[in-house]
Amino acid sequence: MKTISNNLRLFWQGAILSYVALFHWMRPIQYTASKILMPLAQMFFFVYLGTYATSADNAAFYIVGNALQIAAVSGIYGMTMSIGGDRENGTLGYIFGAPANRLVVFMGRAFMNIMDGALGVVIAFVWGVLLMGLDLSNTNIPALALVIVITTISTCGLGLLMGCLALITVNVMFVNNFVYFLLLIFSGANIPLGDLPVSFQALSFVLPLTRGITAARSLVSGASLADVAPLLWGELVVGFVYFMLGYFLFTAFEAVAKRRGTLEVF
Amino acid sequence: MNIRMIAKYWRTILIVAEMNIRQQITDGFILFTVLFQPIIIALLGLWMLKDKGPDAAIFVVVGSGLTGLWSSLLFISGNSINFERWTGTLESLVAIPTPFEVIVFGKNLANVAQSLLSMALGYFVAAFAFGYSLEIQQPLLFVVSVLLSVIAFVSFGLIIAPIFVMNPGVRAWQNAMEFPVYVFCGFLFPIALLPGWTTPISYLLPPYWAAVALHGTSTAGASLNETLFAWGMMLLFSLIDLLIASRLFKMMLYKARADATLGME
C-alpha cells in the first residue's frame, strides 16, 4: 500500500514539477506564443496551401488534419525536452541516482504533456470553427474528444522514444524537428495517404497520428464512435508500442551511460 | 550602419561570414533550419500542388527556399547577438575597433547566403524525385532578384537581432513569428487568397517583395514593371532597415554598457 501511495506521489510531483521546471512556462506570454499562436499560424499556412492546391471545398480535410497534428507539438517537442531537459540542466544524475520507479517517473513526465497536447488540439479545433468555418454540426463531440486524447497519448509515445535519443545525442533538436516535420508529410495531415507511394504508406501506418487523423475526419463527416473504433484501437496499440520501446530504451541507455560514465557528457 | 560603412569594412564582413559558416556547419539545429526544413516543405508543397503542373513546381521550389531564408533569419540571425553572449565573446566583439553592426552584418550575410542552398536543393528534389523539368524563365532578372533579396533579408535581420536582445519578451514570440510570414508574404500561395485586410501587412514586410520578385522572374508571372517595383521596394526597405538598425545598435550597446548587462541575458 505504501509503495502505491509513494508511486502516486512520485507521479503527481514528477508531473507537475518537471513540467514547471523544464518548460519554463513561467510567463503566459511564452505559452501563448509557442502553444497557441504558433500552432494557429502553422494550421493557417497548411490550410491555405491545401485549399490553394485543391479547392476551398477541401478546407475541412486540412483543418482537421492540422488540428490533430498539433498534438505533436507537446507529444514530440514536449516529451523530448522533458527527458533531454534533465540532461541539459544537469539533473539527470539525480534522477538516475534516485530509487524511484522509472516507469512512474516516465508516466509523470508524459501526463502533463498529454493534457497539454490535448488542450492544444482542442484550441486548434476552436480556431478551425471560429476562424476557418469548420462545421462540427454532424460530429459526435465526445467521440472526437476521445480521438484527441488517444492520438495525443500515442504521439507522446513516439516523443518518449525521441526523448531517449536525447540521452545519447546533443543534436536532439535536429531529431525533434525532423520527426515533427516528417509527421506533416506521413501522418496524412496534408497529403491523402492514397497519394503517397506504397512504401511511404507503410511508414505512415506505423506512425502515431495517422489513424487518429483518419478517425477525426470520419467523425467530422458524421461517422459514429463504433465506425472509428478499430482506428482508435490501432492508434492506442501504436502508442503503447512506442511507450514500451521508449521505456526499454531509456533503461538501456541508463545502463550504458552509467557504465561508460557519459551520463552528462556532451 | 550605412552603405559607406559596408564598403569600408567589406573584408571584415566576408571574414565574419566565412567564420560564421565554419562554426555553424556542424550544428544540427542550423542544418535543419537552413536545409532540411525547406526541403521537407518543398516535398510537401510538390506533393500537394502536383496537379498544378511544372509551373507550380518552380513556384514551390522558390517558395520553400524563401521559407528557409526567413526561418534562418528569424532563428539564427535573430539570435546572432545572443549567440555571442552565450559563448562569452560579446564583450570582445563590442570592444574591438570594428563597429559591432559590421560583425552582425557579416553573420547575417552568411546565414542568408547559406539558406540559398535550400533553394538549389529544392530544385534537385523537384527535378529528380518528381521528374519535373524546371526552368527559370527570366534567369538574369532572377539573379538580380536573388541579390536584392539577400540584401533585403540581411538588412531586415539587422533590426531583428538587437530587438531580440533588448526585449527578451519579444524573443519569446520567435516561435510564433515563423509561419505568419510564410502566409503573409505569399511564399507558397498567392496572398490574394487571404482576407483583404491582411494585404497592407504583406506590403510592409521586405520578404513579401522578395517573394514577388523571385516568383515573378522564375515563372515569368510578373511584368518587368512589377519586378522593377519589387526591386525598388526591397532597396527602399533595406535603406530604412539599415537606418533603423544603426539607431538600434547604438541604443542596445549604450543600454548594455549603462546597465552593465552586456554579457548577461
Side-chain angles (χ1 to χ4, degrees):
Chain A
M1 194 68 192
K2 198 176 171 197
T3 311
I4 294 173
S5 80
N6 274 345
N7 280 339
L8 274 176
R9 188 173 54 80
L10 185 68
F11 176 84
W12 281 111
Q13 285 192 342
I16 294 164
L17 287 177
S18 73
Y19 191 72
V20 171
L22 295 174
F23 285 88
H24 311 293
W25 294 136
M26 305 298 186
R27 289 184 300 177
I29 187 176
Q30 287 169 316
Y31 187 90
T32 309
S34 295
K35 301 300 292 290
I36 297 176
L37 292 179
M38 189 281 275
L40 171 68
Q42 184 187 307
M43 208 167 115
F44 260 116
F45 175 72
F46 284 110
V47 170
Y48 272 113
L49 182 59
T51 50
Y52 172 60
T54 55
S55 107
D57 297 338
N58 292 332
F61 176 90
Y62 296 103
I63 295 168
V64 174
N66 286 285
L68 256 292
Q69 168 81 24
I70 300 303
V73 175
S74 290
I76 303 296
Y77 292 112
M79 282 303 293
T80 308
M81 295 320 292
S82 286
I83 297 164
D86 273 316
R87 191 178 190 220
E88 251 176 54
N89 294 327
T91 47
L92 193 60
Y94 297 105
I95 290 182
F96 281 167
N101 183 321
R102 299 285 182 273
L103 193 58
V104 176
V105 170
F106 249 158
M107 292 303 160
R109 296 290 163 104
F111 181 74
M112 288 309 287
N113 284 303
I114 290 168
M115 293 293 107
D116 191 37
L119 177 68
V121 178
V122 170
I123 292 170
F125 268 101
V126 171
W127 288 132
V129 171
L130 294 180
L131 301 177
M132 300 175 206
L134 178 66
D135 180 9
L136 293 182
S137 56
N138 293 325
T139 309
N140 180 343
I141 299 294
L144 183 61
L146 186 65
V147 169
I148 291 171
V149 171
I150 289 177
T151 308
T152 314
I153 291 172
S154 70
T155 311
C156 283
L158 178 61
L160 190 61
L161 189 61
M162 294 297 111
C164 293
L165 297 180
L167 299 180
I168 54 165
T169 174
V170 288
N171 277 327
V172 62
M173 281 312 286
F174 179 87
V175 179
N176 266 350
N177 284 325
F178 205 78
V179 170
Y180 182 81
F181 273 82
L182 285 184
L183 280 174
L184 282 169
I185 297 180
F186 295 113
S187 67
N190 294 297
I191 303 168
L193 294 175
D195 286 2
L196 292 171
V198 178
S199 54
F200 287 5
Q201 286 180 33
L203 177 62
S204 296
F205 279 98
V206 296
L207 289 174
L209 277 173
T210 309
R211 292 171 181 80
I213 288 173
T214 309
R217 283 186 181 132
S218 301
L219 286 172
V220 170
S221 306
S224 67
L225 180 60
D227 295 333
V228 299
L231 287 168
L232 292 185
W233 282 113
E235 187 76 26
L236 263 180
V237 169
V238 168
F240 179 76
V241 169
Y242 280 113
F243 258 110
M244 293 320 289
L245 274 176
Y247 173 67
F248 286 119
L249 211 57
F250 185 85
T251 49
F253 286 160
E254 177 184 352
V256 171
K258 279 178 175 170
R259 194 171 62 241
R260 291 185 181 166
T262 55
L263 210 56
E264 283 165 356
V265 173
F266 286 96
Chain B
M1 193 81 203
N2 53 45
I3 306 291
R4 220 173 51 193
M5 192 184 276
I6 296 171
K8 186 178 172 188
Y9 290 104
W10 65 271
R11 264 190 66 241
T12 314
I13 289 170
L14 291 181
I15 289 169
V16 170
E18 184 196 335
M19 281 295 295
N20 202 58
I21 289 173
R22 282 172 186 266
Q23 270 183 326
Q24 293 181 348
I25 203 85
T26 54
D27 188 309
F29 175 74
I30 288 168
L31 282 177
F32 184 83
T33 307
V34 167
L35 294 179
F36 290 92
Q37 181 176 326
I39 289 172
I40 294 173
I41 289 177
L43 274 172
L44 255 172
L46 287 165
W47 246 311
M48 291 170 80
L49 296 168
K50 69 178 188 314
D51 294 336
K52 289 191 177 278
D55 276 354
I58 192 74
F59 191 85
V60 169
V61 167
V62 171
S64 58
L66 280 162
T67 65
L69 280 172
W70 170 244
S71 297
S72 149
L73 196 76
L74 180 65
F75 292 113
I76 308 170
S77 298
N79 287 330
S80 57
I81 300 175
N82 275 323
F83 178 79
E84 302 299 341
R85 257 185 178 163
W86 298 329
T87 51
T89 46
L90 185 59
E91 292 91 334
S92 314
L93 288 175
V94 169
I96 59 173
T98 306
F100 184 55
E101 52 263 51
V102 169
I103 308 286
V104 179
F105 189 93
K107 286 164 72 84
N108 285 2
L109 180 65
N111 295 336
V112 173
Q114 68 194 3
S115 303
L116 289 175
L117 259 181
S118 62
M119 216 180 275
L121 284 174
Y123 183 91
F124 287 112
V125 167
F128 292 114
F130 289 83
Y132 288 119
S133 169
L134 301 177
E135 201 176 318
I136 302 287
Q137 297 297 322
Q138 298 166 335
L140 194 62
L141 297 181
F142 183 78
V143 170
V144 177
S145 299
V146 169
L147 289 175
L148 291 176
S149 300
V150 168
I151 293 169
F153 271 87
V154 171
S155 306
F156 197 33
L158 284 175
I159 293 185
I160 296 173
I163 287 178
F164 281 179
V165 171
M166 285 191 286
N167 305 284
V170 177
R171 196 161 70 87
W173 293 90
Q174 206 169 13
N175 282 339
M177 289 158 73
E178 187 180 26
F179 278 94
V181 171
Y182 293 3
V183 173
F184 289 133
C185 293
F187 286 167
L188 283 154
F189 49 81
I191 63 161
L193 291 177
L194 304 174
W197 61 265
T198 64
T199 308
I201 301 173
S202 303
Y203 289 168
L204 288 173
L205 294 166
Y208 166 73
W209 298 104
V212 169
L214 291 169
H215 283 316
T217 51
S218 60
T219 62
S223 67
L224 182 62
N225 280 343
E226 285 170 322
T227 304
L228 289 174
F229 186 72
W231 289 359
M233 291 304 287
M234 279 195 275
L235 285 172
L236 177 68
F237 274 112
S238 300
L239 283 174
I240 294 171
D241 290 344
L242 289 175
L243 280 172
I244 296 172
S246 179
R247 184 83 191 133
L248 283 175
F249 271 86
K250 281 192 181 77
M251 280 168 60
M252 178 192 72
L253 291 177
Y254 178 80
K255 190 171 179 295
R257 284 167 171 147
D259 299 345
T261 55
L262 195 59
M264 293 165 65
E265 196 168 1

